[in-house]
Amino acid sequence: MTNLKKLSDEGVSIWLDDLSRSRLTTGNLQSLIDEKNVVGVTTNPSIFQAAISAGDGYEEQLASFKGGSAEEAVEAMTTDDVRAACDLFAEIYSATGGEDGRVSIEVDPRLARDTDETVKQAKRLWEIVDRPNTLIKIPATPEGLPAITKTIAAGISVNVTLIFSLDRYRAVAEAYIDGLEQAAEAGIDLSTIYSVASVFISRIDAEVDKRLEEVGGDALELRGKVALANARLMFEAYEEIFSSPRFTQLAEQGANKQRPLWASTGTKNPDYSPTLYVDELVTRGVVNTMPEATLNSAFDGSVLAGDTVRGGYDEARSVLADLARTGISLADVTDKLEEEGVAKFEESWNSLLETVTDKLDS
């Protein structure tokens, strides 16, 4: 009975926030499934940039694209990795009725502000990977919200990423439900559509804590508390939205709830416990996607004390009210983080394309 098994028994699905060709070919990912209760994988442009730039296991495939474009090579390598991972998780996918055994792949981050092109590429990636346990990642930008609706309406399962604020979380849930209603009108089996809403955690504390240190005094007592409070209020919203009459009607037609997924759960402040965003966000019906360092820390030293989300809503509101009294705007923080998140993924993608172009030329 490991800590990660206990976490799973508490109702938290453990996904790995990383994927590479070497994880697949060496059996590393299978070991994490067998030994550390990993039941899914998430990827993003930064993850693939790191994996492919390292070159481990991609050389032969890259050679086959000599004379071709970097975009074609990157698409082939990333979709091949995701397809292979989907096959590895197929048994878990079947055993959990499609809830877990999921592997995410993100649309080109350069399309984050383009609704129509995002939908077009989401459909393309869905067709290329050609596995029912794929999740297509779409950012929760204002332009991404209608893309989420259109993609869900087409019967494609979606991982909505880069969610920072409570208002944006509510808009994401609304976009998902809009898509389900349109899918139902089109005669699509709603039970085949799944979605998660990826709420970013540690980046909020990193930015808020920096501002709290500038304020000083009693404000410092709020360090390490704001991201957790923000996430808990999103879960409260999740309970409200997905028990509403509107969603209940869809559930009667087979619709699945859009589960919250805790992302960016590796702590960035070395003074905090490395399992802070694991131990303090335990509740049934969520996903926690962890980088391997956090996964290993949780395996070795996670301190679990039952449900640490439900019942903490009033305290969470109090934390955010205290933050507002310091003069720090959480809305300003989350807007900044969204812009930075989009820019970071775009930068990683451009860097990857440059790296692959150099490899193809050489």
Side-chain angles (χ1 to χ4, degrees):
M1 179 61 74
T2 67
N3 289 324
L4 293 176
K5 176 63 167 62
K6 293 176 183 176
L7 185 64
S8 296
D9 289 347
E10 290 284 354
V12 178
S13 293
I14 300 168
W15 293 4
L16 177 70
D17 193 27
D18 193 45
L19 182 63
S20 66
R21 186 67 53 87
S22 62
R23 283 196 186 277
L24 292 160
T25 58
T26 63
N28 168 267
L29 185 54
Q30 183 64 60
S31 294
L32 295 178
I33 294 170
D34 295 340
E35 299 168 12
K36 296 189 175 176
N37 292 82
V38 170
V39 293
V41 162
T42 51
T43 69
N44 61 46
S46 297
I47 285 171
F48 277 128
Q49 191 273 335
I52 296 174
S53 296
D56 190 13
Y58 296 98
E59 295 85 352
E60 184 177 345
Q61 189 170 15
L62 268 172
S64 71
F65 279 94
K66 188 171 178 59
S69 73
E71 285 83 0
E72 290 173 335
V74 168
E75 180 181 81
M77 289 185 290
T78 57
T79 54
D80 282 357
D81 280 359
V82 169
R83 187 182 306 106
C86 283
D87 291 343
L88 192 63
F89 281 102
E91 186 175 338
I92 292 172
Y93 168 76
S94 178
T96 60
E99 192 168 73
D100 287 316
R102 294 280 174 177
V103 185
S104 299
I105 183 170
E106 189 155 347
V107 296
D108 187 329
R110 296 172 297 181
L111 304 177
R113 304 298 182 187
D114 190 325
T115 299
D116 292 339
E117 286 301 314
T118 292
V119 175
K120 182 178 178 181
Q121 198 190 38
K123 292 179 178 179
R124 175 174 171 78
L125 290 172
W126 181 259
E127 291 172 359
I128 292 173
V129 176
D130 192 27
R131 295 294 186 273
N133 49 333
T134 311
L135 290 172
I136 306 300
K137 290 182 81 171
I138 297 176
T141 58
E143 299 84 357
L145 294 174
I148 293 160
T149 295
K150 292 178 181 180
T151 304
I152 291 293
I156 297 171
S157 297
V158 173
N159 176 342
V160 184
T161 188
L162 290 177
I163 302 172
F164 294 98
S165 73
L166 178 57
D167 286 346
R168 189 57 57 84
Y169 170 77
R170 286 185 174 276
V172 165
E174 180 82 11
Y176 173 60
I177 293 173
D178 287 345
L180 289 176
E181 289 172 340
Q182 293 178 27
E185 290 176 5
I188 295 173
D189 181 358
L190 299 187
S191 70
T192 65
I193 304 172
Y194 282 80
S195 183
V196 292
S198 294
V199 177
F200 279 54
I201 310 297
S202 66
R203 294 190 196 184
I204 290 178
D205 273 344
E207 180 63 27
V208 169
D209 286 1
K210 181 172 64 176
R211 300 187 187 198
L212 289 169
E213 287 162 8
E214 293 173 357
V215 174
D218 292 342
L220 297 177
E221 296 180 7
L222 293 173
R223 287 180 298 184
K225 297 179 179 180
V226 174
L228 293 171
N230 194 47
R232 286 168 181 152
L233 293 181
M234 289 190 201
F235 191 83
E236 181 186 41
Y238 159 79
E239 290 187 301
E240 170 203 325
I241 292 166
F242 290 99
S243 62
S244 68
R246 184 184 178 198
F247 181 77
T248 298
Q249 185 176 16
L250 291 166
E252 290 170 353
Q253 300 174 62
N256 301 290
K257 295 179 180 180
Q258 182 186 55
R259 288 191 296 169
L261 178 151
W262 310 133
S264 183
T265 54
T267 51
K268 293 176 170 51
N269 187 331
D271 292 335
Y272 297 161
S273 164
T275 62
L276 174 66
Y277 303 123
V278 177
D279 301 344
E280 295 297 327
L281 290 173
V282 177
T283 195
R284 186 161 298 281
V286 300
V287 178
N288 193 315
T289 184
M290 309 178 201
E292 190 168 18
T294 303
L295 183 75
N296 291 338
S297 293
F299 182 83
D300 292 332
S302 200
V303 180
L304 302 176
D307 194 312
T308 51
V309 175
R310 289 177 169 93
Y313 307 142
D314 288 342
E315 181 182 352
R317 274 186 280 274
S318 177
V319 167
L320 298 192
D322 289 344
L323 179 70
R325 281 189 282 272
T326 69
I328 296 172
S329 167
L330 183 57
D332 181 68
V333 168
T334 56
D335 287 347
K336 179 177 187 286
L337 291 174
E338 180 182 302
E339 290 292 332
E340 289 180 349
V342 170
K344 179 182 177 182
F345 284 163
E346 184 173 346
E347 181 181 344
S348 294
W349 201 247
N350 286 332
S351 176
L352 173 57
L353 291 173
E354 290 172 8
T355 298
V356 172
T357 296
D358 290 342
K359 289 177 181 290
L360 291 175
D361 289 345
S362 64

